[in-house]
Amino acid sequence: MEDHNTANLSEPTSPAASVASAEIAAEFAALSVEEKEQRRAEWSQELARVEEEINTLRTVLASKTRHASDLKRKLGITVWKEVTDDMNQGLKNIKESTVYQRTESVLKSTGEKTASVFGSITSGISSKLSQMKNSESMRSIEASVGSAYENVKTKVTSRSGSVSSFPDALDESNTSSGLNSPTDALTK
């Protein structure tokens, strides 16, 4: 019967608790039956007292929580304001932390290096475009486009005696040749 009583003790969760439980079990096993009953009665009374205190504390805590909520409401402090304040304080704490400051420093340095790389790439592309613009082949293309523009402009002016836009000249040219749209030339 004594082994059965010691089996009701809660299982230890750590080695230190295991040693303490073993000592308590050994102490308890050494007691007489009357002493065991007396100890159990004392422990039961103490447990009832502690549980009653816990319930009293819960009631007092609930009352204090309601009172604090009423005071906050009267002061205009809302749940949203509390959350916002907590978030702002948390962000402030993070920004003041050394980890954040190191991370910010690394990101800033990386950003500067990236900007420098993109700047050198951009200047290289600009330089190449400038070289292309000043090349003989580009000047030749510019001259050809300019010449073609002048030829079209001259033809538009000479046919009608007045200057008109290129689309108007194209329509006039198509109408005089019997074409109603630019795609008619493809179908005829």
Side-chain angles (χ1 to χ4, degrees):
M1 185 156 187
E2 286 180 23
D3 289 336
H4 177 69
N5 290 337
T6 58
N8 288 336
L9 296 174
S10 63
E11 291 294 318
T13 56
S14 69
S18 176
V19 170
S21 294
E23 289 174 5
I24 291 171
E27 238 180 74
F28 193 73
L31 297 176
S32 68
V33 175
E34 289 115 21
E35 290 173 326
K36 287 180 184 177
E37 289 300 320
Q38 183 181 1
R39 282 278 169 96
R40 281 197 178 110
E42 289 171 4
W43 291 340
S44 292
Q45 288 174 354
E46 186 177 355
L47 178 61
R49 246 190 344 266
V50 169
E51 286 177 343
E52 186 178 326
E53 288 175 10
I54 289 171
N55 287 331
T56 302
L57 290 172
R58 282 185 182 146
T59 303
V60 170
L61 180 61
S63 172
K64 296 284 185 184
T65 303
R66 277 191 305 276
H67 185 64
S69 294
D70 289 342
L71 291 173
K72 286 179 182 179
R73 185 179 42 78
K74 289 176 182 176
L75 289 170
I77 300 172
T78 63
V79 174
W80 178 251
K81 182 168 178 8
E82 286 186 55
V83 169
T84 303
D85 290 347
D86 288 347
M87 290 295 292
N88 289 337
Q89 183 62 42
L91 289 173
K92 181 182 174 196
N93 292 346
I94 288 171
K95 286 181 180 178
E96 291 173 354
S97 74
T98 56
V99 173
Y100 176 83
Q101 291 173 356
R102 286 184 199 148
T103 304
E104 183 180 38
S105 164
V106 168
L107 290 175
K108 185 176 182 181
S109 172
T110 303
E112 290 169 356
K113 290 176 183 176
T114 304
S116 172
V117 168
F118 281 130
S120 64
I121 289 172
T122 304
S123 74
I125 291 172
S126 296
S127 172
K128 288 293 181 185
L129 287 175
S130 177
Q131 289 173 3
M132 281 178 49
K133 183 178 178 185
N134 295 328
S135 71
E136 281 300 315
S137 56
M138 188 58 107
R139 286 189 186 139
S140 172
I141 291 171
E142 283 178 347
S144 298
V145 169
S147 167
Y149 174 77
E150 287 301 317
N151 286 340
V152 169
K153 185 177 173 185
T154 304
K155 287 183 181 180
V156 170
T157 305
S158 65
R159 282 195 180 171
S160 63
S162 66
V163 177
S164 60
S165 67
F166 182 73
D168 293 341
L170 186 59
D171 288 343
E172 184 180 317
S173 172
N174 287 339
T175 307
S176 65
S177 64
L179 299 175
N180 293 326
S181 75
T183 56
D184 284 347
L186 298 174
T187 58
K188 289 192 178 184

